[in-house]
Every structure is written in structure tokens, then in C-alpha cells.
């Protein structure tokens, strides 16, 4: 459609839904989206529990991955696969560990001299620091106790990293000798960030406690680390020592500081099974009532941990008055929006449905032989463009399928696909020199047979025979390059990689002999002879610029033709050369047929034929 005005789908959708959307959102924002006191409270409790469960899972997975890495290093050292004293191997192993992104700030080896030599996984920079005596106690105890599983240290504020960290360590032993301690520093600061992230505009303050009253994650922990923790560093020794985490009284959160004074509130787990395992408490503080949602993790690797969020319940008090009005207006807007959406959607999905129906017709039908699907135009610009593109695509695809189908009848299918995929119209494939196996097949006494047959019967017999031979040869990975009268020239491992091309050619010859001997072709019984030879040959296109053919050249090709001719003298049906026999996976499949002086040769050539007990092999995988 070119004469009538068209509209973009974006402008139509905006015009159709903007009124209802703006009305609905505006009214919702004006009256507020609320709920009754109990429902709103339970809603926030459930949302808080989702956050707590996510943090719990993150903590568990993170510590599990860290401990797995420690265990892996200890096992590699114990078995001798990894030696900390071999700097090159140890450094490569440490770099390999950096591929796992699990918020490890540093990892490395603690030596007897209180030296930590490790790596920063972000840029693999080397970290060297002298550890405080407190951090060396577990290492010294490990030397006395012997190998122990990976252990997790107690969380603390590390002035070196200026973050809340927890350590995972494991002593390294080899043949009973202590080699050092592998330690990882895991950042817990991201726990605070993950609790805060996405909640900037939401009510509630998240927190994580350890040991009952130590704060491991809290929005105010960053300020405490920047200000209070820095003041605790008085000299070099303290600067290298971990600082205990702040207590609930140090974090400047009155609700958290008075957590012990809160009263537990009952939650009906039968009505709300999703809240099972959490605890709801209330705290009246300075005339403000606060809700505290907590979950205790008893299976943590370091200590029982409490994850929680506290809310100011005054947030919920004004919601009840606006709930009824919001519900009524929201229902009206929703009803109108649904009606409009249904009407508009039905109109605007018609072209899509037509497109889907046409696509199904295109998928189900033979596009080269039947009428192609055709889409009508539309007033919508995008739909109209899509319809025209689809119609053009149908024509192009049909023409390409017809070209491919016709092309494949005159050129080997594998060559046709390579030519079509080349992206050029030259029709030329780069010539290549390769070692391949040639199969030359000819019908016995075909010239004499033709003297007693009508021309149409000759062509019909040849076509029936060629269909049979082509199916067998291509099933074994061969490419037929020429039909020479009643002869067939096929190659294996040219422009298609076949690992056992000698076996593939021999299998084709055996299968062809068995098939020809077991049936008739247009009522006639015929026999064929095969020559198989392996050697170097050149493959490529030859001919004029406007007419090319794919063929192979070389002495290996000529030898295969001469082998086929020698069948008559040796009274055999299949002859193969010594070069082919040498590449067979089972040379015992063939037996010596004789020594023959082939035309053009100065010495006799050993020829082989199929052993009487040699079975037919299936198609060759390539």
C-alpha cells in the first residue's frame, strides 16, 4: 500500500492505551495502593522473607564454593599434583582459580614466617603482607594436629582490605610434611550491598547478626568502617590485626540496639505457609511501633546467624482508608482497560494471525511445487513492510530451492552445497591435492548388450543401475564425479573428510556387487567390475569459463580404471591396489589376486581381491 497513509504500531498502541494507562496509574498514585492492616503487614513480611531467603542461599552457596576450592587445593597438594614450592606450577594453579567469581578478595599461601603471599583474583596482582599473630594461631595448631578439613574463620573487619571479611583456610600436607596453609579472604561487604540494592526507595532496614549481637551486614556498616574502625587503628601491629565486628549498640540503629526488648508476634503458618521458619516481633520505641522480621540460620559454617529486616509500622496505618476507594476505582479502570485491550488487540493481531498461517503453509508444503503463501497489505506500516518482505522471501526461497534441487542433479550434492555456500557466482572451488581412494565401476559386456536392446531400454537400464550405484556410493561417503557411458568414477575423501576412506571405497564395491547380483534392472540381469586404488590426486573444476565440471586427476585415478580392466584377466569382480590394502582397518578382508604389469608401469603391481568370507560393511561415518 503506497497511496493511503500508514501508521506505526508504536503510535497506534500509544494512542489506544495511553488514556486508560494514565488514568489507571494516576488514580492509583492519587489514592495510593494499600491494603488492610493485617494484609499489608503479612505482605511485607512475605516480601522480607523472600529477601532473607535469597541472602541465606547466597551465603550458603558462596561459603560452599569457597570451601570446595580450599579442599581441592589441599587434595592436589596431598596427592603431589601441586607443589607450593614450585612457583611456576603454583602460580598457574592460582591463576586458574581466578576464573571462579565468588567475591574472594585474595587467596594464597601462609608460610611459617607469618608471610601471606597471595593473589588478587581481579587482576592477579601479587599480595604480600605480614599477618598478625592472631591470624597465625590456626596455622600453628594445624601443624600439630595434622591434616584437617577446610575451616571457616570468624568474621571480622580487616583494616588491610577495609572490608568485613571471613576466611576459609586449610593446612597443606604432603607425605606428612606441613607445607603451609592455603587461605582465602571472602568479602562480606557485598552482603550489605545486596541487602540494600533495589531497596533504596522501599521501607525497612535489613541486617545480618552473628554471635547474637555482632553486626555482619547493615546499611550503616560502611560508615562504621570508614569512621569508627579507622580510629581503632593506632599503630602498625593493630593495623595488620583484624578488628571485631561492631555490636548492635555501635551501628547507630536504635531498633537494632533494643532488639532484646522486642515482643514476639504470632504468625499463622497454616494460613501463610510461605512464612514458615521466620519470626515476627514488635518493638515500641519512643512512641513508634516497629515490626522486625528475622530468620535464624543454624547450619552456617561459622556460627548461628540471624538475618532480618525491621519496619516502622506507621507506614501501614494510612493504607486502610484508601483501600476501598482504590479498589473501586481500580476495578472500574481495570474493566475498561480489559474491554479496550480486547477490542484493539483483536484488530491488531489479525495481520499477525495471517502471517502465522502463511508461515505454517510455508513450513508444511513443498514450496518448489505448489503455490506460495501470499500476505495482504496493511495500514500499519510495520505490518505492511513485514507482509511485503514475507512475499519477497517466499519467491526467493522457492527459487533457491529449485536451483538447489536442479543443481544437485548435475553436480554431486556435497559439491553443490559448497558452491552455494561459497557466496560467489564463479562456480569454482579451489583445487586441492589430497590423498584419496578412487572407485571405478564398469558394467560387464555392456557394449554387446546394447546391440540387442532398444535405445529407450538401454537408457532405462542405465538409469536404474545408476540410481542403485549412487545410493550405495553416497551412503558410504563417496562423491561421484563422472558417469562415463556405463562406467562410474567415485572418490572418497575429496571435499569431504572421511577417516577410513579405503574401507569406505571397498565397502561400496562389495555392497554394489551384492546388490547388482541379487536383482535385475528393468528386467535385465547385469554384472559389474570394480577397481579400487588409493593415492595422491588433484581435485577441482575444469572446463571453460561458462561451463565447468568437477573432476579428479592423477595416476591414482588412471590406476583405478586399469584395475577394473584387469578383473577380466584375473577372473575377479573387485581388484584393489597395495596402497589401498595398506590403509584398510582389517587387511585380512582381502587376498592376493596376482602380480600384474599395468600399462604405463615398469614393474609388476601386487593386486588383491575380496576374500570369500569378507562381510559387507555398513555406511562409513564421516
Amino acid at each position: 500500500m503506497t497511496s493511503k497513509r500508514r501508521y506505526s504500531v508504536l503510535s497506534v498502541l500509544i494512542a489506544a492505551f495511553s488514556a486508560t494507562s494514565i488514568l489507571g496509574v494516576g488514580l492509583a498514585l492519587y489514592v495510593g495502593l494499600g491494603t488492610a492492616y493485617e494484609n499489608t503487614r503479612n505482605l511485607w513480611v512475605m516480601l522480607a522473607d523472600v529477601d532473607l531467603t535469597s541472602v541465606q542461599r547466597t551465603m550458603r552457596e558462596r561459603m560452599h564454593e569457597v570451601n570446595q576450592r580450599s579442599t581441592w587445593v589441599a587434595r592436589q597438594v596431598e596427592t603431589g599434583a601441586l607443589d607450593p614450592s614450585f612457583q611456576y606450577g603454583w602460580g598457574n594453579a592460582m591463576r586458574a582459580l581466578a576464573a571462579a567469581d565468588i567475591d574472594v578478595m585474595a587467596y594464597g599461601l601462609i608460610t611459617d614466617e607469618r608471610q601471606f603471599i597471595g593473589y588478587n583474583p581481579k587482576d592477579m596482582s601479587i599480595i604480600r603482607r605480614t599477618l598478625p599473630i592472631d591470624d597465625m594461631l590456626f596455622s600453628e595448631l594445624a601443624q600439630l594436629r595434622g591434616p584437617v578439613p577446610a575451616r571457616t574463620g570468624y568474621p571480622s573487619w580487616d583494616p588491610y582490605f577495609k572490608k568485613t571479611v571471613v576466611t576459609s583456610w586449610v593446612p597443606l600436607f604432603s607425605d606428612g610434611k606441613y607445607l603451609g596453609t592455603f587461605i582465602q579472604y571472602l568479602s562480606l561487604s557485598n552482603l550489605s550491598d545486596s541487602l540494600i540494592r533495589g531497596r533504596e526507595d522501599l521501607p525497612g532496614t535489613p541486617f545480618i547478626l552473628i554471635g547474637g549481637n555482632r553486626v555482619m551486614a547493615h546499611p550503616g556498616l560502611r560508615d562504621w568502617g570508614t569512621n569508627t574502625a579507622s580510629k581503632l587503628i593506632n599503630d602498625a601491629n593493630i593495623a595488620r590485626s583484624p578488628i571485631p565486628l561492631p555490636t548492635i549498640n555501635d551501628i547507630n540503629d536504635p531498633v537494632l540496639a533494643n532488639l532484646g526488648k522486642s515482643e514476639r508476634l504470632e504468625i499463622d503458618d497454616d494460613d501463610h505457609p510461605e512464612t514458615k521458619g521466620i519470626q515476627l516481633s514488635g518493638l515500641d520505641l519512643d512512641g513508634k511501633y516497629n515490626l522486625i522480621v528475622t530468620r535464624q540460620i543454624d547450619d552456617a559454617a561459622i556460627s548461628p546467624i540471624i538475618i532480618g529486616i525491621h519496619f516502622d509500622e506507621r507506614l501501614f496505618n494510612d493504607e486502610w482508608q484508601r483501600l476501598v476507594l482504590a479498589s473501586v476505582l481500580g476495578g472500574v479502570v481495570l474493566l475498561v482497560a480489559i474491554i479496550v485491550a480486547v477490542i484493539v488487540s483483536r484488530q491488531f493481531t489479525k495481520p499477525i494471525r495471517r502471517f502465522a498461517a502463511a508461515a505454517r503453509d510455508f513450513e508444511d508444503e513443498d514450496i518448489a511445487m505448489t503455490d506460495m503463501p501470499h500476505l495482504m497489505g496493511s495500514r500499519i506500516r510495520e505490518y505492511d513492510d513485514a507482509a511485503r518482505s514475507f512475499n519477497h522471501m517466499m519467491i526467493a526461497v522457492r527459487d533457491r530451492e529449485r536451483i538447489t534441487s536442479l543443481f544437485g542433479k548435475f553436480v554431486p550434492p556435497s559439491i553443490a552445497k559448497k558452491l552455494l555456500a561459497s557466496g560467489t557466482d564463479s562456480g569454482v572451488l579451489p583445487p586441492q591435492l589430497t590423498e584419496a581412494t578412487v572407485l571405478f565401476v564398469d558394467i560387464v559386456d555392456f557394449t554387446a548388450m546394447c546391440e540387442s536392446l532398444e535405445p529407450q531400454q538401454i537408457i532405462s537400464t542405465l538409469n536404474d543401475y545408476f540410481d542403485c550405484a549412487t545410493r550405495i556410493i553416497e551412503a558410504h561417503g563417496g562423491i561421484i564425479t563422472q558417469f562415463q557411458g556405463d562406467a562410474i568414477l567415485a572418490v572418497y575423501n575429496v571435499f569431504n573428510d572421511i577417516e577410513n576412506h579405503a574401507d569406505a571405497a571397498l565397502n561400496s564395491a562389495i555392497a554394489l556387487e551384492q546388490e547388482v547380483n541379487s536383482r535385475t534392472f528393468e528386467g535385465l540381469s547385469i554384472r559389474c567390475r570394480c577397481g579400487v586404488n588409493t593415492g595422491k590426486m588433484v581435485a577441482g573444476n575444469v572446463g571453460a569459463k561458462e561451463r565447468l565440471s568437477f573432476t579428479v586427476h592423477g595416476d591414482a585415478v588412471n590406476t583405478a580404471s586399469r584395475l577394473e580392466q584387469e578383473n577380466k584377466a584375473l577372473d575377479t569382480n573387485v581388484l584393489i591396489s597395495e596402497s589401498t590394502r595398506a590403509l584398510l582397518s582389517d587387511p585380512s578382508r582381502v587376498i592376493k589376486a596376482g602380480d600384474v604389469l599395468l600399462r604405463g608401469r615398469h614393474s609388476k603391481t601386487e593386486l588383491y581381491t575380496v576374500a570369500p568370507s569378507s562381510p559387507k560393511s555398513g555406511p562409513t561415518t564421516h
Side-chain angles (χ1 to χ4, degrees):
M1 298 180 62
T2 57
S3 60
K4 297 182 179 180
R5 185 177 180 182
R6 300 184 300 171
Y7 307 92
S8 70
V9 65
L10 179 61
S11 62
V12 173
L13 290 178
I14 291 177
F17 296 111
S18 59
T20 55
S21 299
I22 294 174
L23 178 63
V25 174
L27 290 175
L29 293 177
Y30 177 77
V31 299
L33 295 176
T35 182
Y37 172 85
E38 187 68 21
N39 292 337
T40 305
R41 188 192 73 173
N42 290 337
L43 174 62
W44 281 105
V45 169
M46 288 186 289
L47 292 177
D49 183 59
V50 171
D51 291 341
L52 302 183
T53 302
S54 177
V55 173
Q56 176 183 355
R57 181 172 59 253
T58 300
M59 292 178 57
R60 181 182 292 112
E61 292 175 354
R62 192 176 300 173
M63 292 308 303
H64 177 70
E65 291 175 355
V66 171
N67 288 335
Q68 271 191 327
R69 182 150 64 173
S70 295
T71 302
W72 180 85
V73 172
R75 187 180 300 113
Q76 294 297 308
V77 172
E78 182 182 2
T79 59
L82 187 61
D83 185 1
S85 62
F86 180 45
Q87 293 298 324
Y88 181 79
W90 177 261
N92 287 338
M94 295 300 101
R95 290 182 178 87
L97 293 179
D101 183 13
I102 51 178
D103 292 330
V104 172
M105 297 182 300
Y107 56 84
L109 187 68
I110 297 178
T111 65
D112 292 335
E113 293 78 21
R114 292 172 52 189
Q115 293 294 317
F116 169 74
I117 304 175
Y119 299 86
N120 184 339
K122 291 184 178 180
D123 55 6
M124 290 309 298
S125 58
I126 298 178
I127 300 175
R128 297 179 183 271
R129 58 180 296 208
T130 301
L131 295 181
I133 297 178
D134 294 342
D135 281 356
M136 294 295 298
L137 292 178
F138 56 80
S139 178
E140 295 174 359
L141 291 175
Q143 297 184 52
L144 300 176
R145 296 176 58 183
V148 295
R151 301 296 178 87
T152 303
Y154 199 85
S156 61
W157 180 273
D158 194 312
Y160 182 85
F161 297 107
K162 296 181 180 180
K163 290 184 179 180
T164 306
V165 300
V166 62
T167 58
S168 174
W169 60 273
V170 62
L172 306 180
F173 287 87
S174 179
D175 295 332
K177 181 181 178 181
Y178 174 77
L179 302 181
T181 299
F182 179 74
I183 186 171
Q184 301 180 76
Y185 291 89
L186 175 66
S187 170
L188 295 181
S189 298
N190 286 346
L191 290 178
S192 294
D193 295 337
S194 62
L195 284 174
I196 300 171
R197 190 180 303 115
R199 301 188 54 88
E200 292 81 357
D201 299 327
L202 297 178
T205 302
F207 59 88
I208 299 178
L209 304 180
I210 186 172
N213 68 340
R214 293 285 178 176
V215 181
M216 194 165 69
H218 188 278
L221 187 61
R222 183 180 301 171
D223 293 335
W224 176 87
T226 303
N227 301 320
T228 307
S230 299
K231 296 177 181 179
L232 298 176
I233 304 174
N234 297 320
D235 55 56
N237 290 329
I238 296 179
R240 292 194 301 268
S241 299
I243 298 175
L245 295 176
T247 66
I248 57 177
N249 298 310
D250 301 328
I251 207 66
N252 195 25
D253 187 337
V255 176
L256 211 58
N258 292 276
L259 188 62
K261 300 179 182 179
S262 61
E263 297 179 355
R264 182 169 182 175
L265 303 178
E266 295 295 329
I267 300 179
D268 192 345
D269 292 338
D270 294 333
D271 294 338
H272 304 283
E274 64 275 10
T275 62
K276 188 175 182 180
I278 70 171
Q279 179 176 326
L280 180 63
S281 303
L283 176 64
D284 193 355
L285 185 64
D286 298 331
K288 299 179 181 179
Y289 194 77
N290 298 273
L291 284 177
I292 306 171
V293 183
T294 57
R295 177 187 291 274
Q296 181 167 320
I297 305 175
D298 295 321
D299 58 348
I302 43 182
S303 177
I305 293 176
I306 296 176
I307 307 176
I309 300 177
H310 65 77
F311 305 92
D312 183 356
E313 200 180 47
R314 288 188 305 173
L315 171 72
F316 314 129
N317 293 338
D318 297 332
E319 304 298 331
W320 175 256
Q321 298 298 327
R322 294 182 286 181
L323 177 63
V324 176
L325 181 59
S327 300
V328 173
L329 294 178
V332 173
V333 172
L334 180 61
L335 180 61
V336 173
I338 291 176
I339 295 175
V340 173
V342 170
I343 295 175
V344 175
S345 297
R346 287 181 60 86
Q347 295 298 321
F348 281 88
T349 55
K350 284 183 179 179
I352 299 177
R353 294 197 296 270
R354 290 198 296 264
F355 184 88
R360 286 193 296 270
D361 293 339
F362 165 67
E363 179 181 6
D364 297 338
E365 298 294 336
D366 183 1
I367 60 174
M369 301 301 295
T370 189
D371 293 336
M372 58 185 176
H374 183 80
L375 293 180
M376 302 295 295
S378 173
R379 292 181 179 271
I380 306 303
R381 182 184 301 117
E382 286 79 3
Y383 290 163
D384 189 61
D385 291 342
R388 288 189 293 105
S389 299
F390 181 83
N391 293 335
H392 288 309
M393 182 187 69
M394 290 296 97
I395 298 174
V397 171
R398 186 193 64 177
D399 291 343
R400 182 179 177 88
E401 289 295 323
R402 292 184 60 194
I403 292 172
T404 303
S405 178
L406 294 174
F407 199 23
K409 294 181 179 180
F410 296 93
V411 179
S414 59
I415 304 302
K417 292 180 180 179
K418 288 183 177 292
L419 290 173
L420 291 174
S422 65
T424 66
D425 297 330
S426 64
V428 175
L429 292 176
Q432 66 176 36
L433 176 65
T434 183
E435 182 180 67
T437 300
V438 181
L439 170 63
F440 195 90
V441 187
D442 198 7
I443 298 177
V444 178
D445 295 330
F446 184 75
T447 302
M449 185 185 305
C450 291
E451 295 177 355
S452 60
L453 298 177
E454 295 294 330
Q456 181 61 40
Q457 190 176 8
I458 295 173
I459 298 300
S460 299
T461 302
L462 280 177
N463 288 337
D464 192 12
Y465 164 70
F466 285 153
D467 283 342
C468 171
T470 300
R471 172 177 51 81
I472 294 174
I473 291 172
E474 291 183 349
H476 289 82
I479 297 177
I480 297 177
T481 62
Q482 293 180 20
F483 291 102
Q484 302 173 349
D486 62 312
I488 300 174
L489 176 63
V491 292
Y492 298 77
N493 201 40
V494 175
F495 287 114
N496 60 338
D497 295 331
I498 302 178
E499 183 177 356
N500 299 319
H501 49 88
D503 287 290
L506 180 59
N507 292 340
S508 299
I510 296 175
L512 185 57
E513 284 289 329
Q514 293 177 347
E515 181 75 11
V516 169
N517 293 335
S518 63
R519 54 166 290 188
T520 62
F521 298 89
E522 293 296 322
L524 296 177
S525 298
I526 61 176
R527 294 198 306 100
C528 64
R529 292 191 292 251
C530 303
V532 183
N533 182 47
T534 302
K536 296 288 185 178
M537 62 193 70
V538 177
N541 301 99
V542 296
K545 290 183 179 180
E546 301 301 326
R547 181 155 310 186
L548 298 172
S549 63
F550 171 80
T551 186
V552 289
H553 298 277
D555 182 66
V557 180
N558 298 331
T559 300
S561 175
R562 292 163 186 165
L563 292 183
E564 183 276 325
Q565 298 173 5
E566 290 296 332
N567 280 294
K568 184 176 181 180
L570 296 177
D571 194 23
T572 56
N573 293 324
V574 178
L575 282 178
I576 70 172
S577 64
E578 171 60 28
S579 58
T580 301
R581 176 185 176 276
L583 293 180
L584 293 177
S585 59
D586 181 13
S588 64
R589 299 176 58 191
V590 298
I591 58 176
K592 188 172 180 179
D595 296 326
V596 177
L597 181 63
L598 297 177
R599 180 164 53 89
R601 299 290 176 87
H602 300 289
S603 60
K604 291 186 177 181
T605 302
E606 292 185 5
L607 302 184
Y608 297 84
T609 189
V610 180
S613 60
S614 178
K616 172 187 174 184
S617 299
T620 302
T621 302
H622 54 88

